[in-house]
Amino acid sequence: MPAVSKAGLAYATLRKQIVSGELSPGSRVTISQVAEQLGISPIPVREACRRLTAEGLLEYNHNAGARVAAPDPTLRYDVGEYLSTLLVSIADNSADAATDDTLRTLRTLAAKFEEAADNNDFLQEREAITRFILTLIGLSRNTIVREQATEAWEHISVYLTEDRLHKMARIAAHNAPVIIDILERRRTQLPHLIVRADSPETPHTVGA
């Protein structure tokens, strides 16, 4: 296996552990242990850690070694606002991709993370919110929008401690009906849109 592939394996493994919350902020990343677990030398692991440090997911101290970076509240807020804007935009422009089954799934997930918030069920909160957001992102036919929204969610999820996730579930429970309502209202407008033969790319309202 080439050295680059080994570094890629180490990078993908560590990034997944950080994003999933398996490695929480402040957790120490020991290069020798990671190398042993993956069956590779420390060199590609060190390369992967440098890459993750450049991305802001790890921080390195000569005395303490590598640790999962502590959240930056300002950055998290900015990314959160960005993600919220993208999700509303997706809901506003992807109604034609939302089937009855999709809407039922979104309602079910919204009810689940509201219930989980009431019961302080961290795992169910995380699973339901993640599935809700990824289901909504999947409605977009714009590859760039999907990638940007997914990246924003991955960045936020890195810093979702139990307390933060609980607060997010409360906010999500409040906002989810709004997003679902946007999808439903847009869907009711779709039958009133036609495309004129002389301008196939421009929709016009009936009677316009």
Side-chain angles (χ1 to χ4, degrees), residues 103-120:
L103 291 173
R104 277 194 293 270
T105 296
L106 290 173
R107 290 193 197 95
T108 299
L109 291 171
K112 280 186 176 180
F113 55 66
E114 184 172 13
E115 177 186 357
D118 290 337
N119 297 329
N120 292 317

Side-chain angles (χ1 to χ4, degrees), residues 66-176:
R67 293 184 183 276
V68 177
D72 180 335
T74 303
L75 181 59
R76 189 175 63 252
Y77 175 80
D78 290 343
V79 174
E81 287 293 300
Y82 177 57
L83 176 62
S84 297
T85 301
L86 282 176
L87 292 180
V88 171
S89 176
I90 289 172
D92 203 31
N93 293 284
S94 304
D96 58 329
T99 64
D100 290 339
D101 285 342
T102 303
L103 291 173
R104 277 194 293 270
T105 296
L106 290 173
R107 290 193 197 95
T108 299
L109 291 171
K112 280 186 176 180
F113 55 66
E114 184 172 13
E115 177 186 357
D118 290 337
N119 297 329
N120 292 317
D121 188 332
F122 174 75
L123 294 179
Q124 184 173 324
E125 281 179 333
R126 188 183 190 97
E127 179 185 0
I129 289 177
T130 299
R131 286 184 58 197
F132 183 93
I133 289 176
L134 294 183
T135 298
L136 191 58
I137 290 173
L139 294 178
S140 177
R141 291 191 173 90
N142 188 314
T143 303
I144 295 176
V145 170
R146 286 201 309 271
E147 290 177 350
Q148 289 177 339
T150 301
E151 183 178 347
W153 169 244
E154 287 181 349
H155 185 93
I156 292 172
S157 65
V158 169
Y159 303 119
L160 284 182
T161 60
E162 186 167 347
D163 181 59
R164 293 192 186 101
L165 182 62
H166 183 62
K167 292 178 181 177
M168 184 175 183
R170 289 294 186 189
I171 296 172
H174 176 76
N175 291 336

Side-chain angles (χ1 to χ4, degrees), residues 3 6-7 13 18 34 42 44-46 62 64 69 76 130-131 135 137 141 163 184 199:
K6 292 178 181 179
T13 300
I18 295 171
V34 175
V45 178
R46 194 171 291 112
H62 287 292
R76 189 175 63 252
T130 299
R131 286 184 58 197
T135 298
I137 290 173
R141 291 191 173 90
D163 181 59
E184 290 180 324
S199 182

